[in-house]
Amino acid sequence: EFVKSAGNYDSYGVELLLRKQFNNLNMWFSYGYLQSQYHVPELEETDFRSNFDIRHALSTGITYTAGKIHLALGGNWRTGKPFTSPITDNTLAGDQINYGPVNANQLEDYFRLDVSAIYRSKLSDAIGIQAGLSVWNVTNRVNSINTFYTLAEQGNPQQVLQESLGITPNATVKILFN
């Protein structure tokens, strides 16, 4: 963790985007594959997964427009981020955390479903209004987005798990001047 060293970083991936529109309906689907690896010859463990090595990611969305109303539904799924955990039976080395293989563990997969609606209208020739409502993470799924370890007061490693927001409503109103 505290060693300063130089090395290489290799990433390989592909991204695919499909989009189709039918009159008032617009749909899209995106898939991404990424494999990224560090190579640091001076370290004991010379090759290990990058922190950004999220192998599979899917995004999809659909929008529908009917006059002044715009409705949308979107979903995101991806495999979990890699992380390094302490060695189970030997968590401490002196007063430091004794970590296992670098990024050998992986957080649970991430999934989020969002919905939104927007209403647009003109108040006059020079002024318009846009009002919107949205709900992020409609399923209220708890998604772990990052984790790390710290030493607790008792001297034991304690996992800190950073999580995304649960169900999150949003409301907007915009006054538009032409």
Side-chain angles (χ1 to χ4, degrees), residues 80-157:
K81 286 178 59 176
F83 71 95
T84 306
S85 61
I87 296 174
T88 306
D89 297 332
N90 187 15
T91 58
L92 294 177
D95 60 349
Q96 302 266 335
I97 297 173
N98 190 19
Y99 287 102
V102 178
N103 286 342
N105 302 88
Q106 186 170 307
L107 292 173
E108 289 186 22
D109 292 355
Y110 177 96
F111 175 75
R112 193 181 85 220
L113 189 64
D114 305 329
V115 296
S116 67
I118 295 174
Y119 174 79
R120 293 182 180 134
S121 184
K122 284 195 167 267
L123 299 175
S124 70
D125 288 340
I127 300 174
I129 189 168
Q130 177 178 304
L133 292 173
S134 66
V135 180
W136 294 350
N137 197 7
V138 171
T139 62
N140 201 26
R141 179 181 164 122
V142 176
N143 286 302
S144 299
I145 55 175
N146 198 18
T147 191
F148 59 92
Y149 290 83
T150 185
L151 284 176
E153 288 183 25
Q154 305 89 337
N156 295 322

